[in-house]
Amino acid sequence: MGEIVAFTANAPGDGVWYRFRARRAGEEFRTILDYGPDRTLEWTASESEGAYEIEVSARNLQTGDTAVAALPYLISTRVTANTPVVSGTLHPLVFLYSAPGCAAGGAMRVEFRSPEGTVQSTPAKPCTPGRSMNFYLAGMRAQTEYAARQVVMSENKSQLGEEIRFKTLEAPEGLLEMTVLQAPPAASAGILFSSPLAAPTLASDLQGNLVWFYPRELTFSTRAGQGGRFFGIIQAPGLDQSGQRVREFDLVGMTLRETNAARVNEQLIELGRRPVSGFHHEAFGLPDGRMLVLASSEQMMADVQGEGSVNVLSDTILVLDVNLQVVWVWDGFDHMDVRRVATLNETCGRGACPPLYLTQDANDWLHGNSVQLTPDGNLIFSMRHQDWLIKIDFNNGTGSGNVIWRLGKDGDFTYAGDDEFPWFSHQHDARFLDDSTIIVFDNGNYHRTVNPEANSRGQVIAIDEAGRAASLILNIDLGGYSFALGSAQKLSSGNYHFELGWLPDGSSLSVEYDGAGNLVYALRAALPRYRTFRMPTMYEP
């Protein structure tokens, strides 16, 4: 249980793509790696022991010939003598707690305690009589002794297991230099999840001590999901669309689902839709198990954004089902006015844009950078270079894709209040906090052209959708100017977390403010960070 094994497929000839799927015996196959050039799957079962089947399909791109092979594989339990055990994994800071099964109708979780007495807990799982219960333990400092025990809950009582002590291993040093500038409030705890540029995705405690890192190749991570699952994107300049990938992975770094832009394009072409160049900025899991990912698309256009022919870079929102098949598409070329150029006339070249294939550079028209589900089942989409947040008719996957409204300067809403410059610009990470409140990180690039001393801001906006009116609830000057990157989050305490992702000196700054606009915590990192998030544990986004 939990031991990762490499399964490698070989088929004769060049230009062969492989798809890997797995299942417990008697259940449906689930796609892990959709068709692409990778011929190796690294996999293990992490829930319970039993008989499994690994399947690979090979397809010759030139001839269209396919072949399928399957391998039965038996996963054995780590539990012996009906006694729980803690085992190491390939990750030095992640351990596997394995316990005997518990009675039907109950549930089990695992608590693990630091030397200082801080207790973290895994999510609870329904009891599985006759099979072991297995939990990854993560969010721990290196070379530190912890104590773990199971908690079995049934009806109105809980039964605590005996503590098992174990020690984490040595972890890589120097992944990211972080300095606490203002200590957090005494009662504050939890984890700071960071997605740096040019460094591995990692998590730290609020003092900047490493408690987790992603051990594999990734351009950046986008979001944390439920139960210790994460999403990330790989952009590979110089490779074709099969090298541009989106990935879901777990705490030990094992890939749970992955596809590539070339495979997605096969499906888009079958649907009569415009193909994409690669993925960028956003990927996360929807509540029903589907995955949403943001992609880029290119189109040569004449005399639309200036004289002559120019490559216009747009955005495509894709929704993939649990087996990574396209089930919903939103194409910016179909729904936005291409004559409305980027507000600061931005262009980008290869290396600064997502992958480009038509020309060396492009008009960076929309530059979408976040998508989130709204409380009413639609989407809110942040378009940095339009200085707009738009609401899209998604209707949980059956919507038309039409733009319902545009929030921002020259959009559909009027602003109530006397702020000299209320509108956000070149913003990041917008989301609804409830039915009528939006949080957003305002980078302030356009504001900076008007006022060279303007800083980035953390904004909470009340909106009346029916009356198309907006007003500022919170508008915090964050004390620095982040011209790119950034994130925004309301904490369970009622305070607010903002990330100034790229300051002029190349560093980044995580800050927490209370509801009155007072700074209560600040941590600086030596590198730019795409996003940071505060998490109670590694299992709770």
Side-chain angles (χ1 to χ4, degrees):
M1 173 59 57
E3 182 174 336
I4 294 178
V5 177
F7 299 86
T8 300
N10 290 286
D14 297 324
V16 177
W17 276 6
Y18 300 87
R19 181 190 67 187
F20 288 91
R21 305 194 300 175
R23 68 176 176 181
R24 175 185 285 277
E27 298 180 359
E28 295 293 322
F29 277 111
R30 292 288 292 270
T31 299
I32 303 173
L33 300 180
D34 206 355
Y35 281 108
D38 290 345
R39 63 177 66 234
T40 297
L41 170 71
E42 295 182 345
W43 178 87
T44 184
S46 58
E47 292 294 327
S48 61
E49 67 274 10
Y52 289 83
E53 189 175 13
I54 312 301
E55 179 204 76
V56 60
S57 299
R59 174 158 59 93
N60 187 298
L61 298 183
Q62 282 73 44
T63 66
D65 292 339
T66 62
V68 179
L71 180 70
Y73 201 80
L74 185 64
I75 300 288
S76 61
T77 180
R78 291 183 178 268
V79 175
T80 58
N82 208 36
T83 302
V85 60
V86 174
S87 308
T89 70
L90 290 178
H91 196 297
L93 302 183
V94 180
F95 285 70
L96 181 69
Y97 186 103
S98 302
C102 44
M108 182 187 294
R109 60 183 171 85
V110 178
E111 297 177 345
F112 50 105
R113 177 172 51 85
S114 72
E116 301 80 24
T118 301
V119 177
Q120 301 181 68
S121 179
T122 70
K125 298 181 181 180
C127 289
T128 55
R131 296 207 300 250
S132 66
M133 305 282 291
N134 297 274
F135 304 82
Y136 284 130
L137 308 183
M140 302 174 288
R141 301 191 305 271
Q143 296 181 302
T144 304
E145 186 177 86
Y146 287 80
R149 65 180 180 184
Q150 66 199 49
V151 182
V152 179
M153 299 155 286
S154 58
E155 296 181 351
N156 296 322
K157 62 179 182 180
S158 296
Q159 182 178 356
L160 303 180
E162 296 292 326
E163 285 193 339
I164 303 174
R165 295 188 176 274
F166 62 99
K167 188 175 182 179
T168 56
L169 305 180
E170 185 177 357
E173 295 183 355
L175 292 182
L176 182 61
E177 179 185 345
M178 292 182 281
T179 305
V180 175
L181 302 182
Q182 180 164 332
S188 292
I191 285 170
L192 179 67
F193 182 86
S194 298
S195 178
L197 300 184
T201 292
L202 54 86
S204 67
D205 61 22
L206 298 188
Q207 288 70 44
N209 299 306
L210 180 72
V211 297
W212 180 84
F213 64 96
Y214 180 58
R216 300 186 63 192
E217 170 197 10
L218 200 66
T219 304
F220 51 82
S221 59
T222 56
R223 302 279 175 190
Q226 291 286 352
R229 293 172 172 238
F230 306 88
F231 296 84
I233 284 169
I234 295 173
Q235 295 177 344
L239 297 184
D240 64 21
Q241 284 92 336
S242 68
Q244 318 307 325
R245 292 174 279 171
V246 58
R247 175 182 296 165
E248 181 183 8
F249 53 93
D250 69 8
L251 286 161
V252 296
M254 185 177 74
T255 296
L256 303 174
R257 288 188 293 176
E258 179 178 301
T259 190
N260 61 80
R263 173 58 180 144
V264 166
N265 282 342
E266 290 183 334
Q267 300 167 57
L268 291 173
I269 291 169
E270 288 182 3
L271 294 170
R273 306 304 294 264
R274 181 180 286 103
V276 299
S277 301
F279 307 113
H280 65 95
H281 283 94
E282 189 68 280
F284 63 90
L286 293 168
D288 59 3
R290 292 175 297 172
M291 181 193 298
L292 183 149
V293 61
L294 185 56
S296 57
S297 57
E298 304 170 71
Q299 183 169 321
M300 299 301 299
M301 308 193 81
D303 300 324
V304 172
Q305 295 190 8
E307 294 183 0
S309 180
V310 65
N311 185 9
V312 176
L313 185 67
S314 181
D315 293 316
T316 302
I317 300 172
L318 302 167
V319 176
L320 313 178
D321 69 14
V322 294
N323 287 305
L324 301 170
Q325 304 307 292
V326 176
V327 293
W328 193 84
V329 183
W330 183 89
D331 188 329
F333 284 119
D334 295 337
H335 294 281
M336 301 301 299
D337 183 359
V338 76
R339 296 168 298 179
R340 189 180 195 268
V341 299
T343 55
L344 296 180
N345 294 302
E346 285 93 347
T347 62
C348 62
R350 291 179 178 171
C353 271
L356 294 174
Y357 294 97
L358 298 183
T359 57
Q360 291 287 335
D361 52 24
N363 280 10
D364 201 357
W365 173 41
L366 301 180
H367 198 107
N369 57 30
S370 73
V371 187
Q372 285 289 282
L373 196 64
T374 65
D376 60 2
N378 293 303
L379 299 175
I380 184 169
F381 179 32
S382 169
M383 298 187 297
R384 169 179 166 90
H385 288 170
Q386 295 291 307
D387 288 347
W388 277 347
L389 307 178
I390 66 170
K391 187 175 183 181
I392 296 171
D393 176 15
F394 178 59
N395 195 23
N396 293 313
T398 63
S400 65
N402 291 336
V403 175
I404 299 171
W405 49 247
R406 303 161 299 172
L407 177 65
K409 188 177 184 297
D410 302 322
D412 300 317
F413 287 72
T414 57
Y415 239 121
D418 55 2
D419 191 284
E420 180 183 3
F421 200 96
W423 295 114
F424 47 77
S425 71
H426 283 47
Q427 70 289 337
H428 281 79
D429 199 28
R431 68 177 65 207
F432 273 85
L433 298 176
D434 54 39
D435 290 342
S436 59
T437 312
I438 291 173
I439 189 170
V440 64
F441 176 72
D442 170 27
N443 291 78
N445 297 48
Y446 183 80
H447 192 189
R448 190 85 168 184
T449 65
V450 178
N451 175 11
E453 301 302 317
N455 288 324
S456 299
R457 299 178 294 185
Q459 294 189 328
V460 179
I461 306 166
I463 65 166
D464 171 8
E465 293 191 66
R468 296 294 192 262
S471 60
L472 286 168
I473 298 174
L474 194 70
N475 191 27
I476 302 173
D477 184 320
L478 298 176
Y481 172 55
S482 175
F483 63 91
L485 315 181
S487 53
Q489 178 186 10
K490 186 174 184 180
L491 305 177
S492 59
S493 65
N495 289 351
Y496 298 91
H497 167 84
F498 297 102
E499 176 63 30
L500 290 87
W502 200 333
L503 296 168
D505 65 358
S507 68
S508 53
L509 185 66
S510 300
V511 292
E512 178 185 345
Y513 283 82
D514 65 20
N518 301 307
L519 179 68
V520 297
Y521 172 63
L523 179 143
R524 184 181 295 275
L527 293 174
R529 287 178 291 180
Y530 172 47
R531 287 175 177 164
T532 64
F533 299 108
R534 292 277 291 277
M535 300 172 62
T537 68
M538 292 299 297
Y539 314 96
E540 303 167 81

